[in-house]
Amino acid sequence: MSIDMWLSPIISQRLSELEHVFLGCANATAEESTDWLLVAYRVLAQSQQLQTIELPDSADFLALVAVGGLESATLSLLPAAAGYMVSRGPSGATIASVILPGVSMESTAEGDGVTLALLGALFAAILSSTEARMMPATGKGLNSPISTSRGH
């Protein structure tokens, strides 16, 4: 039995949306950061059954986005107890890592700028923690294309 057959259609759709944002952020350009940030907020708001991230008030979030505070808006999506790190190499590649509360693995993503890299890492972490919670029930992972490494 495949994982898709086991999951309810709604949960399967939400997982697909989470993965879509993860992959979209990895392939987007910096000019698309605002669009992906707004998509990310919507997907997180609709995926509360898969994760427990407390989202900022939508008016406050949109106000940050409207004034160009994309990095601040992105950080507002992270749980207060989450760990994160952002790095930019000499070639200009931006890499971010996120560790969600209660999870021992960090998830890492690369993006064209801080916003996309951090969003990618957040969505990778959500997908990874969701897979870890579902694995005991199914005996199978979700086979998501996420990069994870042991947290310290």
Side-chain angles (χ1 to χ4, degrees), residues 3-152:
I3 190 76
D4 290 330
M5 291 173 63
W6 179 82
L7 297 172
S8 77
I10 296 292
I11 292 176
S12 183
Q13 178 183 350
R14 296 299 177 240
L15 287 169
S16 292
E17 290 171 351
L18 291 167
E19 189 171 279
H20 173 72
V21 175
F22 168 72
L23 294 172
C25 289
N27 294 305
T29 63
E31 292 76 27
E32 299 170 295
S33 294
T34 300
D35 296 334
W36 280 106
L37 185 55
L38 295 173
V39 169
Y41 186 90
R42 179 189 55 78
V43 168
L44 289 174
Q46 293 175 343
S47 300
Q48 292 298 306
Q49 72 268 40
L50 296 178
Q51 44 81 24
T52 57
I53 293 176
E54 185 175 328
L55 295 176
D57 176 74
S58 62
D60 294 339
F61 180 80
L62 293 173
L64 280 172
V65 173
V67 298
L70 302 184
E71 290 87 2
S72 295
T74 303
L75 288 171
S76 76
L77 298 178
L78 295 175
Y84 67 92
M85 180 177 62
V86 178
S87 175
R88 183 176 175 276
S91 68
T94 304
I95 298 171
S97 295
V98 170
I99 301 176
L100 294 176
V103 177
S104 63
M105 301 286 282
E106 73 179 1
S107 296
T108 303
E110 183 175 331
D112 189 9
V114 173
T115 298
L116 293 170
L118 201 50
L119 281 175
L122 173 60
F123 277 74
I126 293 168
L127 284 163
S128 179
S129 67
T130 301
E131 178 177 319
R133 285 193 318 270
M134 296 180 122
M135 192 177 286
T138 64
K140 298 179 182 179
L142 299 176
N143 298 319
S144 298
I146 5 183
S147 170
T148 57
S149 59
R150 282 273 168 220
H152 299 288

